[in-house]
Amino acid sequence: MGKGPLVTRTELRKRKQAAEEEQEQQEIATQEYEEKEREISDFYRKKRESGQESLKTRSGEQNKIRERSSKLTKAIIIVAILLIIVMLIVFNI
C-alpha cells in the first residue's frame, strides 16, 4: 500500500513544458515554411507594373470614335457641296 504516485507533479510540469516548446518550434517552422513559400511564389509570379493604370474606358473610346466619325461625315458633306457648286459654276459659264 505504500506505493507512490505513477507520475509526480514535477514530471507533469516537465511534460507540459516540453509540449509547449514542441508547439512553439512547430509554429516557428510553419511560419518559416510559409515565408519561404511566399518568396518562391513571388519569384515566379508575373510582376505587375504598378502605376500603369489604364486611363481608357470602353465608353470613353466609343465616344471619341463617334465624335471623330461625326466630324468626318460633316467634312465629307461640306466637300461634296463645294464640289457641286464648283461643277455648277464651271458648266454654266
Side-chain angles (χ1 to χ4, degrees):
M1 217 175 181
K3 288 187 174 182
L6 295 176
V7 180
T8 62
R9 290 183 188 170
T10 56
E11 184 65 28
L12 286 174
R13 217 176 298 129
K14 287 179 184 178
R15 288 182 186 179
K16 186 177 178 181
Q17 286 178 346
E20 289 175 354
E21 290 176 2
E22 180 68 29
Q23 186 178 6
E24 289 176 5
Q25 289 176 355
Q26 184 67 27
E27 289 175 2
I28 292 171
T30 304
Q31 289 175 351
E32 290 176 356
Y33 176 77
E34 289 174 357
E35 288 176 10
K36 192 68 172 173
E37 282 291 317
R38 196 174 312 121
E39 287 177 12
I40 292 171
S41 66
D42 287 346
F43 179 77
Y44 287 107
R45 181 177 296 144
K46 183 178 179 181
K47 294 189 178 175
R48 190 173 67 180
E49 296 178 11
S50 60
Q52 293 283 348
E53 294 182 16
S54 177
L55 301 175
K56 297 180 180 182
T57 60
R58 290 182 184 173
S59 61
E61 291 298 312
Q62 289 294 331
N63 288 337
K64 286 180 185 178
I65 290 171
R66 273 192 227 111
E67 289 174 10
R68 196 177 318 135
S69 175
S70 65
K71 287 179 184 178
L72 288 174
T73 305
K74 289 176 185 176
I76 290 171
I77 291 172
I78 292 172
V79 169
I81 291 172
L82 290 175
L83 275 175
I84 291 172
I85 293 172
V86 169
M87 289 175 73
L88 288 174
I89 292 174
V90 168
F91 291 121
N92 284 336
I93 295 180

